């Protein structure tokens, strides 16, 4: 956008300078001799003026020597007729006009205003899809990465071996498309990579391009969806046109769900027609080229469940590859890939770190390694990344940066300490809950304090008792406040949100309540405006009742734990107030000393 404005202002300046120049040259040379009106009349009487030219009330003439003269006659002759008789010298002046430059400028104002307004609106329309050039309305806005520029290969992607295995074929095809077409083999036109954010989908797509040595077009699905109907569709057309020119190549569409959402799913007001048109165009383009032209579309999403089925039909994104969160081994691999770029102390054991980071995505691991390197760089003593520093970096990635500057009153601090102790103690006492790793009352991000639990191993599914424990732990914060102060604060807002969400899912999605039983009522798509599944009023009431029962029962469980262990709760709170952060070891000691 900036670039465009710069361009525009340059053109405007050039235009203005042009106008100025034209006018300077057009202006007649000012060597006309002014004569006042009385003199003029005298000369007429004397007969020295041959013929005159009248332009409005300006009279010009040239004498026999070729000199030019000029006078201005009064507009209202009747007024000065008596004056003329008195023989006073009368000089008539032209009425003052604004400076010629100002005139030109004024005549331009409406025009400039229109340009400005046009800009203003197109800019608004354009920005919605994430910054870009207003002029390039119908242009795809895809970023092109040349094969020479990008050095990313499969080596850089760790921990997703199955996905890689499925994608080697695509690399082979891109390297030598004719080999496949000669054999009459049909290669998928579209590959859909799906998985949680940060698992390396973009990275994989880039690696395919890097391995095959082909250009890589990258665009985000949200760039297609604009305020104006038709723009998205023309962008899609343009994208495919560009792609075909550069074939063999990869076109990568990130966040395909932004355009490819299920068409009946509705979607929060406006832009719906536009999205449908864009999606249709995408389908048309995908059908419109032969699989062997050497263009492969790779799309990524973390919501493959809400995609329009039409997108997934044969001939479109018919190859779907899941990119999962890495397991322990995968995490170790990813950590090592990223550790190559930094100075690491010999005592660092990546296996242990991988064990302590279940649920981390590749992006989070990369982020953690980078944070550790930054922390070392900030110290500036030329040291290396140690286990200690990585632990700090992990906290930062998991919980956000510490906000030590936030001013907190002692009373608030005490409430937070009780609140976090409530979470931690409930977690500690419930068998089967994830072990408490660390509790802190140092504010991080939006939270005033945090209780961190770390599962002992990667979990792929959760039992009802595990989820119920989570409800209890989440409620523990609020209950501790209540027990300690007899009053409650807004600090538990987020906890309560999560409790409600989890309990509803347990009832509606996982069939974990007696009242509802094993029937699901999950919303087809959590899109605003989507009516969701049809539920009778009686069932809706039953669902609400079941959710409430679940939460109430968790509340009672947690309250019993905290009341029964009041002494430990107080001791833990005191420890937090003294040290701000306590770990598993500290809690072990506190529990032992106070029970
Ligand atoms: P996604 O597209 O799935 O949201 P990205 O590919 O954008 O995730 O990942 C962001 C960054 O995280 C990558 O640039 C890379 O540094 C790191 N990363 C993610 N997954 C992996 C992985 N499997 N191996 C190595 N690095 C990874
Ligand atoms: Zn809480």
């Amino acid at each position: 956008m900036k670039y465009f404005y710069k361009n525009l202002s340059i053109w405007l300046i050039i235009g203005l300078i042009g106008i100025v120049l034209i006018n300077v040259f057009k202006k007649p040379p000012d060597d006309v001799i002014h004569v006042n009106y009385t003199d003029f009349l005298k000369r007429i009487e004397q007969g020295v003026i041959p013929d005159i030219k009248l332009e409005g009330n300006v009279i010009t003439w040239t004498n026999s020597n070729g000199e030019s003269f000029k006078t201005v006659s009064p507009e209202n002759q009747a007024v000065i007729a008596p004056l003329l008789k008195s023989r006073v010298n009368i000089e008539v002046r032209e009425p003052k006009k604004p400076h010629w430059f100002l005139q030109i400028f004024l005549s331009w104002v409406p025009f400039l205003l229109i340009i400005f307004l046009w800009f203003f609106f197109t800019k608004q329309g354009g920005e919605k899809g994430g910054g870009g050039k207003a002029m390039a309305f119908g242009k795809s806005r895809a970023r092109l990465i040349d094969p020479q520029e990008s050095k990313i290969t499969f080596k850089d992607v760790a921990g997703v071996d199955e996905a890689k295995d499925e994608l080697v074929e695509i690399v082979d095809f891109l390297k030598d498309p004719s080999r496949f077409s000669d054999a009459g083999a049909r290669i998928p036109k579209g590959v859909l990579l799906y998985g949680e954010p940060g698992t390396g989908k973009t990275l994989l797509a880039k690696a395919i391009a890097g391995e095959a040595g082909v250009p890589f077009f990258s665009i985000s699905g949200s760039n297609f969806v604009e305020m104006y109907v038709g723009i998205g569709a023309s962008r899609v057309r343009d994208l495919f046109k560009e792609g075909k020119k550069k074939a063999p190549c990869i076109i990568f569409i990130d966040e395909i769900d932004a355009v490819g959402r299920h068409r009946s799913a509705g979607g929060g007001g406006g832009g719906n027609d536009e999205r449908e048109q864009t999606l249709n165009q995408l389908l048309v383009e995908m059908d419109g080229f032969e699989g062997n032209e050497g263009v492969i579309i790779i799309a990524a999403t973390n919501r493959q469940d809400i995609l329009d089925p039409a997108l997934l039909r044969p001939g479109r994104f018919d190859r779907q590859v899941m990119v999962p969160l890495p397991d322990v081994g995968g995490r170790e691999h990813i950590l090592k890939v990223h550790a190559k770029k930094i100075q690491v102390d010999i005592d660092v054991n990546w296996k242990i770190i991988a064990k302590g980071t279940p649920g981390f995505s590749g992006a989070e691991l990369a982020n953690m390694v980078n944070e550790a390197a930054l922390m070392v760089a900030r110290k500036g003593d030329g040291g290396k990344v140690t286990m200690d520093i990585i632990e700090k970096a992990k906290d930062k990635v998991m919980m956000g940066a510490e906000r030590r500057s936030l001013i907190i009153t002692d009373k608030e601090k005490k409430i937070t300490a009780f609140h976090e102790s409530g979470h931690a103690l409930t977690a500690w006492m419930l068998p089967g809950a994830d072990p408490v790793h660390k509790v802190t009352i140092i504010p991080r991000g939006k939270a005033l304090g945090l209780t961190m639990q770390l599962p002992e191993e990667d979990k792929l599914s959760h039992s009802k008792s595990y989820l119920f424990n989570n409800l209890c732990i989440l409620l523990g914060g609020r209950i501790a406040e209540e027990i300690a102060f007899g009053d409650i604060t807004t600090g538990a807002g987020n906890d309560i949100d999560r409790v409600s969400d989890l309990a509803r899912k347990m009832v509606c999605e996982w069939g974990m309540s007696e009242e509802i039983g094993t029937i699901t009522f999950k919303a087809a798509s959590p899109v605003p405006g989507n009516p969701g599944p049809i539920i009778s009023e009686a069932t809706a009431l039953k669902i609400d009742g079941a959710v409430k029962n679940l939460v109430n029962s968790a509340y009672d469980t947690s309250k019993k734990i905290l009341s029964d262990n009041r002494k430990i709760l107080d001791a833990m709170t005191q420890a937090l107030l003294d040290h701000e952060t306590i770990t598993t070891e500290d809690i072990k000691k506190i529990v032992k000393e106070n029970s």
Side-chain angles (χ1 to χ4, degrees), residues 362-537:
E364 280 166 325
L365 292 170
N367 198 355
M368 183 177 98
V369 172
N370 186 49
E371 269 309 329
L374 280 176
M375 282 173 184
V376 170
R378 243 177 257 140
K379 268 200 281 177
D381 56 3
K384 291 180 174 176
V385 169
T386 59
M387 282 300 256
D388 225 29
I389 291 173
I390 291 175
E391 184 65 25
K392 279 211 187 87
K394 181 169 113 187
D395 285 358
K396 187 166 176 194
V397 171
M398 273 181 98
M399 325 194 272
E402 290 182 356
R403 284 172 63 201
R404 284 188 184 271
S405 60
L406 194 69
I407 297 166
I408 300 168
T409 61
D410 284 347
K411 170 88 180 165
E412 262 175 325
K413 219 169 175 174
K414 205 166 163 192
I415 295 173
T416 308
F418 264 108
H419 181 107
E420 295 309 325
S421 299
H423 287 309
L425 186 54
T426 317
W428 192 270
M429 293 296 171
L430 282 169
D434 290 332
V436 180
H437 176 67
K438 203 176 264 185
V439 187
T440 176
I441 54 166
I442 300 170
R444 282 170 187 270
K446 268 194 233 151
L448 288 177
L450 274 162
T451 297
M452 222 168 113
Q453 294 169 265
L454 269 185
E456 275 170 327
E457 65 233 359
D458 298 332
K459 286 202 172 73
L460 297 175
S461 67
H462 299 301
S463 65
K464 180 179 173 184
S465 61
Y466 175 82
L467 295 173
F468 183 78
N469 282 352
N470 274 353
L471 291 179
C472 302
I473 296 163
L474 283 168
L475 289 167
R478 160 60 63 92
I479 295 166
E481 286 179 38
E482 205 183 297
I483 291 177
F485 301 100
D487 196 4
I488 46 185
T489 69
T490 54
N494 180 258
D495 297 335
I496 295 171
D497 256 1
R498 285 166 62 193
V499 165
S500 316
D501 192 49
L502 180 58
R504 192 161 282 276
K505 275 194 179 143
M506 287 171 76
V507 172
C508 296
E509 293 188 21
W510 303 319
M512 288 178 174
S513 73
E514 275 129 43
E515 295 90 328
I516 297 299
T518 42
I519 304 173
T520 64
F521 292 100
K522 67 176 163 190
S525 150
V527 177
N530 170 33
I534 297 158
I535 300 177
S536 72
E537 209 161 306

Side-chain angles (χ1 to χ4, degrees), residues 152 154-160 164 193-206 252 254 300-302 323-324 326 330 333-335 337-338 341 361-367:
I152 294 173
F154 277 154
K155 269 211 314 293
D156 300 297
V157 195
V160 282
K164 277 201 261 185
L193 302 176
Y194 66 94
E196 309 254 326
T199 44
K201 298 179 290 292
T202 312
L203 198 65
L204 264 175
K206 278 188 190 156
F252 178 67
D254 204 0
T301 180
N302 46 10
V323 188
H333 254 111
I334 295 173
L335 286 167
V337 164
H338 289 279
K341 303 167 201 160
S361 69
E364 280 166 325
L365 292 170
N367 198 355

Side-chain angles (χ1 to χ4, degrees), residues 158-446:
V160 282
D161 295 336
E162 287 93 347
K164 277 201 261 185
D165 287 345
E166 286 200 59
L167 296 168
V168 234
E169 189 187 274
I170 309 276
V171 175
D172 291 341
F173 167 72
L174 285 169
K175 272 189 189 155
D176 184 9
S178 60
R179 205 179 87 204
F180 282 76
S181 49
D182 290 350
R186 207 177 58 84
I187 211 76
K189 290 180 196 174
V191 179
L192 180 73
L193 302 176
Y194 66 94
E196 309 254 326
T199 44
K201 298 179 290 292
T202 312
L203 198 65
L204 264 175
K206 278 188 190 156
I208 296 172
E211 289 279 337
V214 299
F216 178 80
F217 284 96
S218 142
I219 191 164
S220 167
S222 58
N223 280 26
F224 286 128
V225 185
E226 292 284 346
M227 220 161 69
Y228 303 111
V229 174
I231 292 172
S234 90
R235 283 199 181 134
V236 170
R237 259 194 306 278
D238 186 65
L239 177 65
F240 278 77
K241 212 171 79 197
E242 291 295 312
K244 278 182 204 164
K245 271 192 227 156
K246 295 256 180 187
C249 74
I250 284 179
I251 295 179
F252 178 67
I253 307 176
D254 204 0
E255 297 176 53
I256 184 103
D257 44 291
V259 252
R261 193 180 292 152
H262 199 298
R263 272 174 288 191
S264 67
N272 215 356
D273 277 353
E274 161 65 351
R275 215 192 54 231
E276 253 174 51
Q277 272 203 19
T278 310
L279 175 56
N280 285 336
Q281 189 63 41
L282 186 63
L283 297 177
V284 167
E285 292 289 343
M286 288 200 76
D287 292 342
F289 73 91
E290 288 304 312
N292 293 336
E293 276 179 52
V295 181
I296 301 254
I297 327 288
I298 300 181
T301 180
N302 46 10
R303 293 300 316 272
Q304 137 260 24
D305 54 318
I306 61 166
L307 290 185
D308 198 289
L311 264 178
L312 308 177
R313 275 203 211 113
R316 293 167 183 164
F317 292 103
D318 49 1
R319 174 78 58 99
Q320 287 152 36
V321 178
M322 167 155 175
V323 188
L325 282 174
D327 59 9
V328 166
R331 288 198 296 274
E332 190 184 340
H333 254 111
I334 295 173
L335 286 167
K336 282 181 177 161
V337 164
H338 289 279
K340 275 194 206 122
K341 303 167 201 160
I342 63 167
Q343 296 284 324
V344 184
D345 199 271
I346 30 166
D347 79 336
V348 170
N349 185 334
W350 293 112
K351 198 174 228 122
I352 292 178
I353 298 161
K355 261 199 182 143
T357 45
F360 271 48
S361 69
E364 280 166 325
L365 292 170
N367 198 355
M368 183 177 98
V369 172
N370 186 49
E371 269 309 329
L374 280 176
M375 282 173 184
V376 170
R378 243 177 257 140
K379 268 200 281 177
D381 56 3
K384 291 180 174 176
V385 169
T386 59
M387 282 300 256
D388 225 29
I389 291 173
I390 291 175
E391 184 65 25
K392 279 211 187 87
K394 181 169 113 187
D395 285 358
K396 187 166 176 194
V397 171
M398 273 181 98
M399 325 194 272
E402 290 182 356
R403 284 172 63 201
R404 284 188 184 271
S405 60
L406 194 69
I407 297 166
I408 300 168
T409 61
D410 284 347
K411 170 88 180 165
E412 262 175 325
K413 219 169 175 174
K414 205 166 163 192
I415 295 173
T416 308
F418 264 108
H419 181 107
E420 295 309 325
S421 299
H423 287 309
L425 186 54
T426 317
W428 192 270
M429 293 296 171
L430 282 169
D434 290 332
V436 180
H437 176 67
K438 203 176 264 185
V439 187
T440 176
I441 54 166
I442 300 170
R444 282 170 187 270
K446 268 194 233 151

Side-chain angles (χ1 to χ4, degrees), residues 1-18 108 112 115-116 119 135:
M1 206 63 214
K2 254 197 202 123
Y3 170 71
F4 183 64
Y5 272 128
K6 212 169 116 196
N7 236 346
L8 173 82
S9 41
I10 288 174
W11 280 113
L12 276 182
I13 289 168
I14 291 178
L16 278 177
I17 290 176
W108 268 66
L112 289 177
I115 293 188
F116 175 78
F119 250 148
M135 280 299 235

